[in-house]
Amino acid sequence: MPTALITGATAGIGAAFARRLAADGFSLVLVARDEKRLTSSAESLRLRYGVEVEVLPADLAAEEGLTAVEARLREGVDLLVNNAGFGHPGAFLDVPVADELRMLKVHCEAVLRLTLAALPGMRERDRGAVVNVASVAAFFTRGTYSASKAWVVNFSESIASELTGTRVRVMALCPGFVRTEFHDRASMDVSGIPRFLWLSADDVVDEAMRDLARGRRVSIPDIRYKAIVGVGRLIPRGLAGEVSRRLGRR
């Protein structure tokens, strides 16, 4: 039975990955900060899907948490989903530097270190995959969040290129607005986001898994967001950034 490790696994896209992979017969290792919520999620998945579920409470912004997850990955997994992440409600100059550094720790350092912990074993077995959850924001300019997600996309594509000729895959997943707890936790006002732009986490994961099976290096779920990214690449970056700023948080 294959094993998948998912960070940020108790809500949103991470929880959707857990449901989908459990339904596909994966044993799961769930990583999140909230041990009580992790335990509850694990029990629900065991009862519903009859799979083995291990819980690993860890804060990926802390060295102790990162080290613990690295150690578990070195024991061997077949799929790593780097999903943990968060956003800030304020503009760059209004956010404390400690909060910005914490974001970079989770979005960039954790993704790099956990990917590096998982890949040697996958390459040795010549099978396995890493999905790094980025965002459509990676293709636009809006503060540290979009910058960090742009790094995730570039990193994922670079590593995927290095693994050409193997059966190990690395893919960046770049969803748009998804109905999750993400915006509420960041105290973001998203009332101005048109209803038609919202996606469900389960649909995002289903398309991600299809793209991973096809060998895609970047997955942009939904035709609407594929079009938005395509148009964004054709207009001046300054204009694209201004549109992104106005459309997003207030």
Side-chain angles (χ1 to χ4, degrees):
M1 182 179 292
T3 300
L5 186 148
I6 307 164
T7 68
T10 56
I13 293 173
F17 264 110
R19 291 190 296 271
R20 167 61 191 265
L21 294 171
D24 288 348
F26 278 76
S27 295
L28 302 176
V29 182
L30 305 183
V31 178
R33 291 181 297 168
D34 189 333
E35 185 171 2
K36 182 178 179 180
R37 198 172 184 185
L38 268 177
T39 301
S40 176
S41 297
E43 185 60 25
S44 295
L45 290 163
R46 291 188 193 105
L47 289 173
R48 181 172 180 181
Y49 300 102
V51 297
E52 295 181 8
V53 185
E54 176 185 342
V55 297
L56 179 51
D59 181 355
L60 297 182
E63 183 62 27
E64 182 180 4
L66 263 176
T67 301
V69 182
E70 284 177 312
R72 177 60 185 85
L73 287 167
R74 291 190 184 106
E75 294 177 13
V77 300
D78 300 282
L79 173 62
L80 165 63
V81 180
N82 278 314
N83 169 72
F86 60 93
H88 296 312
F92 173 66
L93 294 178
D94 300 325
V95 178
V97 67
D99 292 346
E100 294 285 18
L101 291 173
R102 182 169 179 270
M103 174 180 283
L104 294 177
K105 182 90 170 179
V106 174
H107 290 185
C108 299
E109 182 179 343
V111 168
L112 184 152
R113 288 175 58 175
L114 299 187
T115 299
L116 185 58
L119 281 180
M122 292 181 180
R123 186 169 58 179
E124 183 178 345
R125 297 186 299 273
D126 196 28
R127 60 181 172 83
V130 177
V131 175
N132 292 323
V133 179
S135 170
V136 161
F139 305 104
F140 298 92
T141 53
R142 194 200 299 165
T144 312
Y145 181 82
S146 66
S148 67
K149 293 304 186 180
W151 182 90
V152 171
V153 173
N154 192 304
F155 171 74
S156 301
E157 290 188 283
S158 297
I159 303 307
S161 294
E162 290 189 21
L163 292 167
T164 298
T166 74
R167 293 191 297 168
V168 180
R169 296 172 179 173
V170 177
M171 183 183 81
L173 171 59
C174 301
F177 291 104
V178 184
R179 293 288 185 190
T180 69
E181 299 174 0
F182 176 89
H183 301 96
D184 289 339
R185 285 184 174 183
S187 300
M188 294 181 184
D189 177 5
V190 291
S191 59
I193 306 302
R195 183 177 300 178
F196 73 89
L197 285 179
W198 289 99
L199 307 175
S200 80
D202 290 320
D203 289 344
V204 166
V205 169
D206 287 345
E207 187 156 352
M209 294 304 292
R210 286 195 295 271
D211 284 345
L212 185 64
R214 293 170 181 147
R216 299 272 174 84
R217 295 180 179 180
V218 178
S219 172
I220 303 174
D222 196 271
I223 188 65
R224 290 164 288 184
Y225 282 103
K226 288 180 173 66
I228 288 170
V229 171
V231 170
R233 286 169 169 165
L234 297 176
I235 63 177
R237 288 184 62 81
L239 177 59
E242 179 64 16
V243 171
S244 175
R245 184 185 67 82
R246 290 177 179 273
L247 182 61
R249 61 180 181 246
R250 296 178 182 180

